[in-house]
Amino acid sequence: MTSLLIHIKHRCPLVWRATESVNGALFALRYPKFDLRAREILCGHSSDGFEFSVVETEDIGPLSAFLNAVPASRLEFFAPHPFDEASLMRLHRNPGFMMMKITRDGVVAGYFFLRCFFIGKAFHGLIVDEKYSGRGLGREMWALSSKICVAGGIRMYATVSEYNVASLISAEKGTDVTVRGRLDNGYIMIECKSRTENA
């Protein structure tokens, strides 16, 4: 199923957008409090001067600027969606796409998201400003997203390239990782469980 969705996303963009729209509506019906759970967990969360929060409408412009300024070398394994404001706003309005950010002194320093499906699964993605690499922000994003999924009653997954060592390490530091399958082009699907869930 995951391979099919990835194929549709990359090969049939119009079909994918329609699928996203329908899924968002169904997700909102089945999980009406998911956004609230995410806000509760992120509310006031900070680490070493970095603030974690849900992306709001007024954040779309700065978020687009942040993503479009990321060096191409850091985007080799990160191409979840277009970075223009119109596309980000469309995703922001979709109940099945939870967008979150890290800021420092009011400036976007990182972005993470949960692409949620009404069948009870979510796929996680993230990127951190290059100058803040190595500060444990990736670990925090994995951990927070896994807590949100537990609170929302869904399971968290991610598709990660076997060559993206940094992402795999941060996932393992922030969550309990189990490999669930192998995909094309050297990607693996992992399930990420909150450490508090297994405590």
Side-chain angles (χ1 to χ4, degrees):
M1 177 61 75
T2 301
S3 295
L4 176 60
L5 290 173
I6 292 173
H7 177 82
I8 293 173
K9 178 175 180 287
H10 292 290
R11 303 291 178 83
C12 309
L14 293 179
V15 175
W16 175 250
R17 286 185 63 170
T19 301
E20 277 191 314
S21 180
V22 172
N23 173 73
L26 293 174
F27 184 81
L29 287 173
R30 186 175 181 188
Y31 300 97
K33 296 183 179 180
F34 190 81
D35 179 81
L36 177 61
R37 297 288 180 263
R39 291 177 181 278
E40 289 173 345
I41 288 171
L42 292 176
C43 182
H45 187 84
S46 63
S47 176
D48 194 26
F50 294 92
E51 303 290 333
F52 295 74
S53 60
V54 171
V55 170
E56 308 291 358
T57 301
E58 60 268 23
D59 298 319
I60 295 298
L63 177 60
S64 177
F66 165 75
L67 291 171
N68 281 298
V70 175
S73 59
R74 289 183 66 79
L75 297 176
E76 181 181 2
F77 304 116
F78 187 79
H81 52 68
F83 298 156
D84 61 281
E85 290 189 35
S87 295
L88 292 175
M89 185 61 73
R90 176 175 56 81
L91 291 170
H92 175 62
R93 291 171 176 160
N94 188 325
F97 201 91
M98 174 57 59
M99 307 170 76
M100 298 161 283
K101 68 184 186 298
I102 303 174
T103 56
R104 188 172 197 184
D105 299 324
V107 178
V108 178
Y111 165 63
F112 57 124
F113 64 85
L114 287 165
R115 189 188 296 274
C116 306
F117 292 89
F118 74 93
I119 57 174
K121 294 183 178 181
F123 285 81
H124 183 247
L126 73 161
I127 192 162
V128 178
D129 192 313
E130 188 172 24
K131 64 176 172 283
Y132 298 128
S133 294
R135 299 198 182 195
L137 296 177
R139 180 191 67 239
E140 284 285 310
M141 288 189 279
W142 285 102
L144 287 168
S145 291
S146 66
K147 290 178 183 177
I148 290 169
C149 286
V150 171
I154 63 178
R155 297 168 70 178
M156 177 173 144
Y157 296 82
T159 55
V160 185
S161 171
E162 293 179 308
Y163 303 106
N164 191 355
V165 178
S167 188
L168 288 169
I169 289 175
S170 66
E172 290 173 347
K173 286 183 176 179
T175 66
D176 287 334
V177 172
T178 303
V179 176
R180 294 301 186 194
R182 297 191 175 274
L183 308 172
D184 295 335
N185 301 319
Y187 276 76
I188 57 175
M189 184 171 71
I190 58 175
E191 181 173 3
C192 305
K193 293 186 176 182
S194 172
R195 295 196 185 281
T196 58
E197 180 184 17
N198 296 328

